[in-house]
Amino acid sequence: MPDTRYAIAAVLVATAVTWGLRALPFAALTPLRASSTVQYLSTRMPAGVMVILLVYCLRDLLLPLAHARAVAPLVALAVTVGLHLWRRNALMSILGGTATHVILASTVFAP
C-alpha cells in the first residue's frame, strides 16, 4: 500500500496539472482578444468549419451518385438544408438530418 504522503502528493500534483491545463487557454487568449486577426477569424471560421465538415462527410461519394450507397447521405443533406431554410434552427436541422441518415443507412440502404 502506498505511503499516505505519496498519495496526497500525487493528488496535489494531478490537481495542479489539471487546473493549469484548464486555465492555460484563458490565459493565452486574453492578450489575443484585441487582435484584428482573431476578430477576422471569429467571423469567418464558422462557415469554413461547416464547409470542411461537409466535404469530410461527403468524401466517400466519389462513387457514381446513382449508387445506392450515395442516396442516404444525399437525402440527409437535403433534409438538413431544407429544415434549416424552413425553420432557421440549427439544432433541428442537425437532428433531423442525422436521424434521416441513420434511418436510411440502417434500414432502406443497409449494405
Side-chain angles (χ1 to χ4, degrees):
M1 179 102 113
D3 185 24
T4 305
R5 287 181 285 165
Y6 177 78
I8 291 172
V11 169
L12 290 176
V13 167
T15 301
V17 168
T18 301
W19 184 85
L21 289 174
R22 290 178 185 240
L24 184 65
F26 295 105
L29 286 178
T30 301
L32 295 176
R33 295 208 189 272
S35 168
S36 62
T37 303
V38 173
Q39 290 175 357
Y40 173 79
L41 289 175
S42 70
T43 59
R44 302 300 192 274
M45 284 298 288
V49 169
M50 289 297 127
V51 169
I52 290 170
L53 286 172
L54 177 68
V55 170
Y56 176 78
C57 290
L58 299 178
R59 75 189 183 282
D60 292 333
L61 296 182
L62 297 175
L63 306 170
L65 293 181
H67 195 276
R69 185 174 154 196
V71 175
L74 291 176
V75 170
L77 176 64
V79 167
T80 303
V81 170
L83 279 172
H84 192 71
L85 291 175
W86 176 47
R87 300 300 296 199
R88 297 276 189 228
N89 185 333
L91 182 61
M92 180 189 295
S93 305
I94 292 167
L95 291 177
T98 302
T100 302
H101 184 269
V102 168
I103 290 168
L104 290 177
S106 64
T107 58
V108 179
F109 301 107

